[in-house]
């Protein structure tokens, strides 16, 4: 009936003391977790208590408003009260002015251990014949030997941009294939930490989190994995800066070929 306090009794040693003494650690709401929903499947403990009964995610700003003390995400509770003035779990009448942030639940949830969203799925192991899961895709043919139409079809199937000349399409697909192998052979993120540390990991250091291209200010709209961002920006991005082989002026890669064809410093054969 009271899952939170049942969990407190089970973890009466470490978790409760940590929750009450973690003033220096960021709280869930302080991290603006509303933009980063956390699935209970990523938790390594406390899954039975840390689930909003409405969205089935880890509660963001756990909020109570009924006599039974059921904790929901604040935004979920408010949305439910707009539909009916009752707790969605027990049906007790309540209203938005009665909602209160549950700091104890927030502190407890913030101390739970979890894996990264890009980490290996629970129970993942070696498959049949001892092969590791998500083994690197075997490519039937090199990207350079594929036609432009086949390249665009392959890129589109992966949700990648299909714009550009064949050389750009080849580079984009090969870059995606390289990312299948991960960092130093790793195919998933190995981070383990606490719920209150997850957003910081995701926004600052996770190698497998999609980020904007470093050349976004120049106009690139592609998203790449953080581990591939530097290589993409310097090797395959259409907005990277390259110098003309004739005049040494820097141009965006997408415009360089056109410039070099008409560069006034380029050497040409004498008309005679």
């Amino acid at each position: 009936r009271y899952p939170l306090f049942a969990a407190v009794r089970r973890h009466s040693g470490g978790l409760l003391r940590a929750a009450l003494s973690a003033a220096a650690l960021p709280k869930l709401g302080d991290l603006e977790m509303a933009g980063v929903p956390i699935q209970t499947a990523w938790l390594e403990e406390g899954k039975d208590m840390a689930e909003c009964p409405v969205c089935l995610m880890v509660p963001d700003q756990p909020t109570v408003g009924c006599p039974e003390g059921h904790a929901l995400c604040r935004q979920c509770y408010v949305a439910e009260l707009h539909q009916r003035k009752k707790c969605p779990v027990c049906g007790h009448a309540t209203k938005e002015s009665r909602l209160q942030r549950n700091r104890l639940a927030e502190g407890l949830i913030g101390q739970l251990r979890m894996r990264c969203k890009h980490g290996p799925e629970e129970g993942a192991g070696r498959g049949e014949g001892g092969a590791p899961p998500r083994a690197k895709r075997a490519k039937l043919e090199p990207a350079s030997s594929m036609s432009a139409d086949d390249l665009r079809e392959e890129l589109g199937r992966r949700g990648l941009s299909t714009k550009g000349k064949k050389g750009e399409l080849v580079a984009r697909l090969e870059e995606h294939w390289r990312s299948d192998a991960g960092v130093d052979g790793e195919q998933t993120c190995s981070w383990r930490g606490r719920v209150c540390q997850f957003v910081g990991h995701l926004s600052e250091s996770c190698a497998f989190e999609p980020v904007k291209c470093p050349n976004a200010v120049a106009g690139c709209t592609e998203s790449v994995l953080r581990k591939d961002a530097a290589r993409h920006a310097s090797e395959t991005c259409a907005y990277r800066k390259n110098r003309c082989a004739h005049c040494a002026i820097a141009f965006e890669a997408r415009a360089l070929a056109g410039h070099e064809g008409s560069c006034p410093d380029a050497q040409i054969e004498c008309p005679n």
Side-chain angles (χ1 to χ4, degrees), residues 50-166:
E51 181 179 84
C52 171
V54 174
C55 67
L56 305 181
M57 298 287 186
V58 173
D60 176 25
Q61 288 194 27
T63 300
V64 296
C66 71
E68 299 291 337
H70 293 121
L72 289 69
C73 300
R74 181 170 184 84
Q75 59 183 3
C76 289
Y77 221 141
V78 171
E80 286 291 318
L81 292 180
H82 287 168
Q83 302 296 322
R84 55 176 190 159
K85 304 298 181 181
K86 295 180 180 180
C87 170
V89 180
C90 63
H92 275 94
T94 188
K95 52 186 178 181
E96 189 170 347
S97 61
R98 293 180 181 172
L99 299 184
Q100 294 185 354
R101 189 170 176 174
N102 190 328
R103 292 285 186 174
L104 176 59
E106 189 169 330
L108 283 167
I109 293 171
Q111 293 300 309
L112 294 177
R113 305 289 300 182
M114 67 174 294
R115 65 170 174 85
C116 179
K117 63 183 289 188
H118 302 299
E121 296 181 3
E122 185 178 12
R126 292 188 172 270
E128 295 181 3
R134 296 181 61 194
K136 185 177 179 181
R137 175 185 182 274
K139 297 180 285 295
L140 298 179
E141 57 178 331
S144 58
S145 68
M146 298 171 66
S147 68
D149 289 340
D150 288 342
L151 286 165
R152 291 189 176 92
E153 181 180 354
E154 190 76 7
L155 289 165
R157 192 167 62 85
R158 285 167 163 71
L160 302 173
S161 173
T162 59
K163 297 180 180 179
K165 298 180 179 179
K166 182 175 179 178

Side-chain angles (χ1 to χ4, degrees), residues 210-251:
V211 297
K212 291 182 179 180
C213 170
N215 296 326
V217 292
C220 182
T221 59
E222 292 198 41
S223 293
V224 294
L225 301 186
R226 181 175 279 115
K227 66 185 180 65
D228 298 325
R231 184 174 62 213
H232 166 79
S234 63
E235 297 180 11
T236 62
C237 178
Y239 291 83
R240 70 190 186 279
K241 293 286 189 177
N242 287 339
R243 292 190 178 277
C244 173
H246 310 297
C247 64
I249 297 176
F251 289 87

Side-chain angles (χ1 to χ4, degrees), residues 3-21:
L4 173 61
F5 293 101
V8 169
R9 285 197 297 271
R10 287 196 300 274
H11 303 279
S12 57
L15 272 181
L16 182 56
R17 284 196 300 271
L20 297 177
S21 63

